[in-house]
Structure formats: structure tokens, C-alpha cells
Amino acid sequence: MDRRKFLVAMSAAFGGQLIMPLQRLMHASAEIDPINFTGGADLFFKNEKDAVAALCEIIIPTTDTPGAIAAGVPDYIEFMLSEWHYEEERTRFLVGIKQVVAYAQARFRNAFAELDVADQTEIVQRMQDGRMPVMMDGGRAFFEHIKQLTLAGYYTSEIGMTVERIYQPVPGRFDGAYPYEQAGTLFTS
């Protein structure tokens, strides 16, 4: 499966709620080299880049499989923001990450990336529930945006496709009665 096919499947999974930059990418005819994510190398300040990486790792943590950081998701997000987002969309994201960084500093007196996982998770939960006091909609839109970028970046990466999803380039014959338990790791959202 290539990135384009995955993004079509992702669009179906999100039920038309896929953020516009991913929709534009999905409909674009250009293929993206999964290794060449250099377009957004200077988009974030260091504390913002670290916060994006920590947020990605909270969304897809390292477990028995590599997490979002190992899959290069923070670089993917920076690339997507710089190359596929309109200026207004990019600005909204940058304001959102600045608000997360500022909230972590005000609440915990530390950088978001330096917080323990429980404190990071508390902030993520606040955004997911729309209870982030420094964000216009409580953080829901920003969280949905970074979550979609993280999922797309992870599951279209080599790690996401070959380790997490156990990519089989030649699946063999179709067997509709094949036991589910023997199928291996499957993609679930």
C-alpha cells in the first residue's frame, strides 16, 4: 500500500472529517518521497518542535512496536504544515502549539516535552475534551488536527506499514473463511 491509497482509506475512516490539507494531498497527483521531509525544517522553534514530538508520542506511543517519533512523524507534520497547508491553516496550528507550550509552562512550570507522561496526558485529555482554558474552542480543533496528522504520518511511514500493520506485498489467494486469530496485526482506528 502506498501513501495515496492509505490517505483514501483514512478519508473513509474519518467519515469526511479529514482536515483540508490531507484532502488536498490525497487528491494531488504528486507522490511524496517518504524520506524527504525537509520542507518544514525551520517552521518550529525548538520548544515547539519538542512539544509536537511529545504530543505525537502521546497519540502513538512506543510499545511493543515503535512509536510516532521513531516513525519520523514530527518531521512529517512539519513538512505537511510547510508544504500542504494554506497560510491560515498553518498559522492556526502554530498558534495552537504555542498555546500548548505556554499552558504547560504556566501550569507545571516546565516545558511540555519535559513533563512526565501523566502531565502530558492531562493536557492532551483537556484538549480532547475541549477543556483547555487558553484555547478558543478548548483545544478540540487543534487536537483533532495534530491527531490526524500523526495518524497519517505514522501509518504511511515505513514503520507504520511494515512493523505495525505487517505489510504483505503479495498477500496470496483470498480465503474468506481464514481464521481471524491467525491474520496477525491489523490496522484499527
Side-chain angles (χ1 to χ4, degrees):
M1 178 178 281
D2 63 17
R3 284 183 184 269
R4 188 174 174 83
K5 288 179 186 174
F6 175 80
L7 290 169
V8 170
M10 174 90 66
S11 178
F14 277 100
Q17 299 298 319
L18 201 61
I19 59 174
M20 288 306 294
L22 290 176
Q23 288 180 5
R24 285 193 293 274
L25 175 61
M26 182 183 68
H27 294 297
S29 60
E31 292 290 325
I32 292 179
D33 179 0
I35 297 169
N36 187 21
F37 292 131
T38 59
D42 296 325
L43 189 60
F44 299 125
F45 291 109
K46 180 170 177 9
N47 63 341
E48 295 165 352
K49 187 182 220 59
D50 293 345
V52 167
L55 283 165
C56 292
E57 195 69 16
I58 289 291
I59 295 168
I60 302 180
T62 299
T63 56
D64 58 334
T65 57
I69 292 173
V73 173
D75 291 335
Y76 169 85
I77 289 174
E78 201 164 20
F79 172 82
M80 288 297 294
L81 288 168
S82 65
E83 299 295 324
W84 287 93
H85 283 63
Y86 293 139
E87 185 66 33
E88 179 182 319
E89 296 161 336
R90 181 173 35 256
T91 299
R92 272 197 309 269
F93 188 94
L94 292 173
V95 166
I97 197 63
K98 285 177 191 325
Q99 290 170 328
V100 169
V101 167
Y103 181 78
Q105 189 64 46
R107 172 132 166 78
F108 297 105
R109 306 267 187 253
N110 207 351
F112 181 84
E114 301 299 319
L115 298 177
D116 62 40
V117 174
D119 292 338
Q120 289 176 345
T121 303
E122 176 190 319
I123 291 173
V124 169
Q125 191 66 52
R126 283 179 171 276
M127 286 188 291
Q128 186 174 3
D129 296 342
R131 297 181 297 114
M132 184 70 117
V134 298
M135 300 178 105
M136 184 183 303
D137 67 345
R140 280 191 181 122
F142 175 78
F143 178 72
E144 188 62 31
H145 193 168
I146 196 166
K147 182 175 78 171
Q148 285 187 22
L149 286 170
T150 300
L151 291 173
Y154 185 80
Y155 286 106
T156 60
S157 72
E158 183 176 352
I159 286 173
M161 288 187 161
T162 61
V163 177
E164 178 72 21
R165 295 187 63 211
I166 306 177
Y167 176 69
Q168 298 175 0
V170 182
R173 68 179 179 80
F174 174 74
D175 181 358
Y178 192 80
Y180 178 77
E181 303 80 39
Q182 297 176 19
T185 305
L186 299 176
F187 172 72
T188 58
S189 56

